Amino acid sequence: MDKKIALVTGAGRGIGKAIAIKLIEDGFFVIANSRQTPMEDSPSSCYYQADITEASQVEEMVSFITKTYGAVDVLVNNAGIAQQKLFTDITEADWDNMLNHNLKSMFLVTKGVLPGMIHQKYGKIINISSIWGLSGASCEVHYSAAKAGVIGFTKALAKEVGPSGIAVNCVAPGIIKTDMLNEFSEEDLSALKEETPLERLGTPEDIAKAVSFFASSQSDFITGQTLSPNGGFVI
């Protein structure tokens, strides 16, 4: 295939869908992974349904991609979940579920595509964290811990695979208008806007642009870094 291959996890909606659309616009052939919500296949994309917290499903997905399209050039580890709970109310199941969806899935997919990148001496891995991975959030201790882990993962892997021509970077979104904000009242959303120096909430497209930069040749001398499009909410 003439086009570079990009794999985007959690691409069925919100930020992941916006990233997939942007990378298609940038000229990539995109494999859009999702657990549930399918995207329509097109000449520039393929939808692949898989639960990436399960090693066997990740192996099957990577095998399909490699045999059908070749090695993945750009991996966007976007899939994840969020939950608001007092720390004293977080159960062991809540904790395990949070780390499975935000860290284990990233570990499994990255491990799956990395051999192909190492073989071709090229690759871009872009991990989606959160401002709460940078600063921590009250009532989201398990989420903050998982997203901080994404940043640590990014820095460490960047050092390890840099000599193989692979760049690993991170995008840490601020408050973004997605389904995750559905439970917030208009009053809450207005307060969040007021706390943001640019006086608006972010959009999935804002995050997609940051991912597009890391996926492009413009970022070829950048690795191990975290870019946080957050409107100044966290500085």
Side-chain angles (χ1 to χ4, degrees):
M1 178 171 285
D2 294 335
K3 294 184 177 183
K4 280 189 166 60
I5 307 300
L7 169 60
V8 181
T9 68
R13 60 181 182 170
I15 290 173
K17 186 174 183 178
I19 291 170
I21 291 170
K22 177 59 177 167
L23 292 180
I24 290 170
E25 291 174 353
D26 290 346
F28 288 90
F29 183 87
V30 174
I31 292 93
N33 157 257
S34 175
R35 270 194 310 163
Q36 298 172 334
T37 309
M39 292 177 64
E40 291 184 7
D41 290 349
S42 77
S44 297
S45 66
C46 167
Y47 168 71
Y48 193 98
Q49 186 172 10
D51 180 351
I52 57 172
T53 66
E54 297 291 338
S56 61
Q57 293 191 39
V58 172
E59 289 171 8
E60 289 174 6
M61 178 176 70
V62 173
S63 176
F64 166 79
I65 294 169
T66 303
K67 290 176 181 177
T68 309
Y69 304 108
V72 171
D73 299 292
V74 173
L75 167 64
V76 184
N77 285 308
N78 166 75
I81 60 170
Q83 182 185 48
Q84 289 189 312
K85 256 190 177 184
L86 287 169
F87 178 73
T88 50
D89 292 337
I90 295 172
T91 65
E92 184 178 357
D94 289 332
W95 180 268
D96 289 345
N97 194 41
M98 186 65 66
L99 267 62
N100 279 343
H101 284 88
N102 289 290
L103 279 176
K104 182 183 177 183
S105 61
M106 179 179 64
F107 162 73
L108 291 174
V109 178
T110 303
K111 192 172 183 182
V113 306
L114 198 56
M117 291 183 173
I118 292 172
H119 178 75
Q120 66 184 10
K121 292 288 184 180
Y122 175 84
K124 302 244 178 165
I125 298 172
I126 304 153
N127 303 317
I128 307 301
S129 179
S130 165
I131 51 170
W132 306 134
L134 294 167
S135 68
S138 175
C139 298
E140 293 188 68
V141 170
H142 51 345
Y143 179 74
S144 299
K147 289 303 188 179
V150 172
I151 295 171
F153 179 102
T154 298
K155 292 180 178 182
L157 188 63
K159 291 181 177 180
E160 188 169 329
V161 301
S164 295
I166 301 165
V168 189
N169 289 293
C170 184
V171 176
I175 311 300
I176 309 299
K177 291 175 68 175
T178 67
D179 292 347
M180 286 186 179
L181 295 186
N182 286 347
E183 62 189 65
F184 287 72
S185 68
E186 284 301 319
E187 186 178 351
D188 290 335
L189 294 176
S190 294
L192 289 170
K193 288 178 185 177
E194 289 178 10
E195 290 181 55
T196 304
L198 290 183
E199 297 185 334
R200 72 170 177 88
L201 302 180
T203 67
E205 289 72 25
D206 289 321
I207 308 309
K209 290 173 186 175
V211 171
S212 172
F213 167 70
F214 278 137
S216 75
S217 61
Q218 297 178 61
S219 67
D220 281 352
F221 195 55
I222 301 174
T223 195
Q225 305 303 308
T226 299
L227 176 62
S228 183
N230 64 57
F233 195 94
V234 171
I235 295 177

